[in-house]
Amino acid sequence: MSIIKSTYTGPPAYLFNGHLETIIPSIFRKVSDVSYKREKIDTPDGDFLNLDWSNVGSSKLLIISHGLEGDSERHYVKGMVKLFNSSKVDVLVWNNRSCGGEINLRPILYHHGASYDVDTVISHVLKSHSYQDIFLTGISMGGAQTLKYLGEKGIDLPVEIKRAAVYSTPCNLLSSAATLKYRSNTFYKNKFLGKLKNKMREKAVQYPDLIDLEQLERVTDFDAFDTLFTAKLHGFKDAADFYKSVSADNWMPTIAIPTLVINALNDPLLGGECYPVKLAEIKKELTLEMPKRGGHTGFVISKNEFTWAEYRVQEFLLERL
């Protein structure tokens, strides 16, 4: 059984519910003294990915996958970068297509199941560098991409990849998407939808015959957006088909390396099926930690530069090295 009791004791008193634990760090948390060297690589389908490196001259590398409408500048990414650099580990943050300040070339954007881009990044690293130990981490959507990649590779995962850890991760995409219909989650729905609609307006400039802007303006929820745009652009029937087809839990049973999943029980963006309890009970490679508190990508520690989740990921990934 790989379900463990969490060591997170909770946030400062002023963060008294899951929404505050989620929103306040997202708006106000700043992480200083992180700088990147950017590398642009080609994808097999004629697009590109921007990779941001923060190196300290290590034989170990952490690869970070960010969340929905995030990039390498998000606080939860830079916190992880700074913490692992302080432990003498190189860090690579890859920006999903259209993220990181530059719109991509192809009609597609990115989504929770875009493990093909994770594969492109890792293949590039293995061909151009000689790291002895590689670790993967993903936050929110990036966690789902990471879990899907690991399960797809299974026992054929590159031997250099030793461990993985993800947190605030929608292991079941349908369950997570359903939370955006709650009235209490209107803030998150509007925030994400607004940013994604802006991306579609940019795509309409590149591909005017592909994007119906009048239809886009009428969209007010994710079911409609994912049916009319995400599913259409990425080859799925509709939102339900998309959620079911790319959900990470389809592949998690075949993960073959030690992997930690941290999902707070009060995460406003995770439904019940995002907590893979039954799988963790029978799968020795999977460790599930479910703190009572933490919100979504929160896990604040009073008067500390780093979050509990960042420390916990570091502990899990580096504990046997």
Side-chain angles (χ1 to χ4, degrees), residues 64-133:
I64 301 177
S65 301
H66 64 75
L68 184 71
E69 278 305 284
D71 56 29
S72 60
E73 293 297 324
R74 292 296 289 147
H75 68 93
Y76 56 76
V77 171
K78 294 175 77 172
M80 198 79 77
V81 172
K82 187 171 185 177
L83 184 61
F84 273 78
N85 278 173
S86 73
S87 296
K88 309 303 180 186
V89 177
D90 286 356
V91 181
L92 165 61
V93 188
W94 72 279
N95 295 277
N96 275 268
R97 303 187 196 209
S98 79
C99 300
E102 190 175 7
I103 195 70
N104 64 309
L105 302 176
R106 298 287 293 164
I108 65 172
L109 294 178
Y110 67 90
H111 57 71
H112 286 69
S115 53
Y116 44 83
D117 282 341
V118 180
D119 188 40
T120 296
V121 171
I122 292 172
S123 296
H124 170 74
V125 169
L126 293 174
K127 290 176 182 177
S128 58
H129 298 78
S130 55
Y131 286 104
Q132 295 178 8
D133 301 303

Side-chain angles (χ1 to χ4, degrees), residues 31-306:
V31 179
S32 61
D33 302 320
V34 173
S35 60
Y36 298 115
K37 182 177 181 180
R38 174 156 289 190
E39 177 185 16
K40 181 179 289 189
I41 65 171
D42 296 326
T43 63
D45 63 342
D47 214 333
F48 67 87
L49 295 171
N50 282 321
L51 315 186
D52 288 331
W53 293 84
S54 182
N55 292 343
V56 292
S58 178
S59 63
K60 302 176 180 63
L61 174 70
L62 175 70
I63 298 177
I64 301 177
S65 301
H66 64 75
L68 184 71
E69 278 305 284
D71 56 29
S72 60
E73 293 297 324
R74 292 296 289 147
H75 68 93
Y76 56 76
V77 171
K78 294 175 77 172
M80 198 79 77
V81 172
K82 187 171 185 177
L83 184 61
F84 273 78
N85 278 173
S86 73
S87 296
K88 309 303 180 186
V89 177
D90 286 356
V91 181
L92 165 61
V93 188
W94 72 279
N95 295 277
N96 275 268
R97 303 187 196 209
S98 79
C99 300
E102 190 175 7
I103 195 70
N104 64 309
L105 302 176
R106 298 287 293 164
I108 65 172
L109 294 178
Y110 67 90
H111 57 71
H112 286 69
S115 53
Y116 44 83
D117 282 341
V118 180
D119 188 40
T120 296
V121 171
I122 292 172
S123 296
H124 170 74
V125 169
L126 293 174
K127 290 176 182 177
S128 58
H129 298 78
S130 55
Y131 286 104
Q132 295 178 8
D133 301 303
I134 297 176
F135 310 100
L136 306 183
T137 192
I139 301 92
S140 192
M141 179 194 73
Q145 294 172 331
T146 300
L147 294 174
K148 183 171 179 282
Y149 168 81
L150 291 171
E152 287 171 334
K153 293 296 183 182
I155 61 174
D156 295 321
L157 188 75
V159 296
E160 293 87 350
I161 302 176
K162 301 299 197 297
R163 287 185 160 226
V166 304
Y167 71 90
S168 298
T169 293
C171 299
N172 181 280
L173 187 53
L174 179 62
S175 179
S176 177
T179 68
L180 291 170
K181 299 177 183 178
Y182 302 159
R183 181 175 296 180
S184 59
N185 282 348
T186 300
F187 171 83
Y188 312 113
K189 182 198 73 172
N190 290 342
K191 176 184 175 184
F192 289 135
L193 201 55
K195 289 184 175 183
L196 288 168
K197 288 172 77 170
N198 284 335
K199 290 277 180 75
M200 283 300 155
R201 294 183 184 104
E202 291 187 75
K203 278 294 159 197
V205 175
Q206 294 175 308
Y207 298 93
D209 296 332
L210 193 62
I211 307 296
D212 185 337
L213 289 177
E214 290 185 5
Q215 193 178 54
L216 180 68
E217 297 310 314
R218 293 194 295 269
V219 167
T220 59
D221 62 73
F222 263 91
D223 276 353
F225 181 85
D226 284 333
T227 290
L228 296 171
F229 296 98
T230 308
K232 178 183 176 182
L233 292 180
H234 295 91
F236 300 99
K237 179 181 177 182
D238 53 23
D241 179 45
F242 164 61
Y243 300 148
K244 181 179 179 180
S245 298
V246 307
S247 189
D249 56 3
N250 292 326
W251 289 272
M252 288 171 62
T254 50
I255 290 174
I257 61 169
T259 300
L260 172 67
V261 175
I262 301 169
N263 281 346
L265 292 173
N266 73 337
D267 189 321
L269 297 177
L270 298 183
E273 293 184 40
C274 291
Y275 302 86
V277 173
K278 292 183 179 179
L279 182 61
E281 288 176 340
I282 62 173
K283 186 169 182 60
K284 63 181 177 60
E285 292 87 358
L286 183 64
T287 299
L288 176 61
E289 189 163 349
M290 298 178 289
K292 293 181 180 179
R293 303 290 301 276
H296 190 76
T297 70
F299 302 102
V300 174
I301 303 173
S302 183
K303 299 180 181 178
N304 199 302
E305 181 177 15
F306 303 108

